[in-house]
Amino acid sequence: MISFRLWAPNANQVELKIGSDFFGMTRGDGNWWRTEIPLAKTGIDYAFVLDGGEPVPDPRSPWQPNGIHGPSRTVDHGAFSWTDKRWQAKPLSSAIVYELHVGTFTPRGTFIAAIDKLDYLVDLGVTHIELMPVAEFSGTHGWGYDGVDLYAPHHAYGEPDDLKRLVDATHARGLAVILDVVYNHLGPAGNYLARFGPYFTQRYATPWGEAINFDGPQSDEVRRFFCDNALMWLRDYHFDGLRIDAVHAILDTSAIHFLEQLAGEVADLQAQTDRQLALIAESDLNDPRIIRPREIGGYGMHAQWSDDFHHALHCVLTGERAGYYRDFGSLADLAKALQRVFVYDGRYSVFRRRRHGRPPSGLSGHSFLGYLQTHDQIGNRAKGERSSHLMSVARLKIAAALVLTGPFVPMLFQGEEWGATSPFLYFTDHKDPQLARNVTEGRRREFASFGWKPDEVPDPQAVETFERSKLNWTERDKEPHAGLLAWHRRLIELRRKIPSLSDGRLDKVGVRFDENGKWLVVKRGPVVVACNLNQVTQRVPVDIDPASRLLLTSADKVQLSQNTVELTADSVAILSAH
């Protein structure tokens, strides 16, 4: 016997369709419609018919094997045989995160294919993998941020059990798994939610579509829909955490913000399952309330991405100043990001033309993820250029040293560790011709503020745009890629072995720099990271004695003397006083 339930306050009549049969549903309390059918628990295709219209998928569909417009299919989550009963994720404070996109991470681009690369990730030294969104979206390939069936793993990546096999295999190798989820909008194709109830509101707007109704009339069940979705991924798929996309576009004036409610419910699930669970926000607000504990008025997220650190590092190493990079570019910005996280902590922003942010006083560096590259910072460029396309190998090594010895939780993007040459472009597979044209034209207009020409933007709808974005695993064994990979492995090893490198206390981070001399020195306990960003060999003051030990260097030649280290152009040296 299967019980079918549907929240549909907008409907006057609801029927359940299974094959050619229709079953009436009864409206109950809170506009929940119900019926029970004597069928097996798995593998039943079904849809809902509202007021005699066309059949549409279940808003909580657990599987859409035929895509966004097809029928839903039942899944028995209790039937999967997990082997991770003793599994416990490492805390974020000790994490090294690796962001990946299932469709481009391997040639086949499936959940099962990703399992073949897990041993490589273990050998690299990462502790957590973060999957870009996998909820069902339009077509066969895309980034996943336009999902519409939020409870269903994307059919082109594999069956729901395939995703469970990936998570189970990841845990078997000692790796945790974080899932990227999108709760600020839904995609434009296959979005049937408005037919069922007031999931959206006209009181707010987002850059990507209608805003979710988190605080208007009948919003209780809307909030319940998204909270239940988060709990499902953590409970039924055994994910160890969620990365929540663009929380600044979750518009909610309730006394208890949606994120705070979600944090509380995840904390309850953590207690029930005895598994450590993490919530990581992406936020453009520079507002520490996102990650402050609920007990003192925060929203209770455990960490958030640190775009100010990325922008400061990227601009220093590339010299770019277009778009939002206008606000960055000095070593002083990079030093501030390393010591105080938010460069914009109430400071005037030229790009925004207003003051922005507030200081994250008292928070640990472990509350922030630090990175050189992410899917956004690569894919939102006209040509999808990685840092390996924009800077020399020497500068890639400096960047890696600052990320992996920094006070934040380090994160790498797939292939970054070997300087992958494949771009990561924006790609879609919308089947509606008008929507496809709109996406293509809109993408080209979007880059005007960066000064990129429309004809330089690859067509997101072209299959080759997707194919070009796949990693080329054969290049990692060739130079200069092999050397970069060895560099990243050694840096991760140092972070593991030296306690001061994983210390999140920002007040313990010492930074000195010279804008004219183009050098920067970061002190982390007994460890000093000295960077020469000049194009000539020069002496960099390091304030340690000549007996200090050289741990790692990218320089052709390093010479230590009293309180200085001589470094060749564009190089970094990591020294220890012990």
Side-chain angles (χ1 to χ4, degrees), residues 286 304-317 325 328-330 333-344 368-373 377 398-411 416 509 511 520 522:
N286 279 23
Q304 75 167 67
W305 283 21
S306 180
D307 273 353
D308 277 19
F309 172 69
H310 166 271
H311 298 348
L313 181 61
H314 176 91
C315 290
V316 162
L317 294 174
Y325 291 142
F328 299 86
S330 68
D333 291 338
L334 180 54
K336 184 175 180 179
L338 284 163
Q339 293 182 299
R340 287 185 274 172
V341 188
F342 294 155
V343 176
Y344 287 84
F368 301 90
L369 273 67
Y371 39 83
L372 172 68
Q373 301 180 66
Q377 303 304 336
I398 293 172
L402 291 172
V403 168
L404 289 166
T405 65
F408 313 123
V409 176
M411 185 174 74
E416 173 183 345
V509 180
V511 185
L520 177 131
V522 183

Side-chain angles (χ1 to χ4, degrees), residues 270-291:
Q270 178 173 270
Q272 295 161 19
T273 59
D274 193 28
R275 290 174 47 230
Q276 187 162 268
L277 304 173
L279 294 173
I280 301 170
E282 179 200 19
S283 174
D284 187 40
L285 300 174
N286 279 23
D287 185 349
R289 285 175 292 190
I290 300 290
I291 48 177

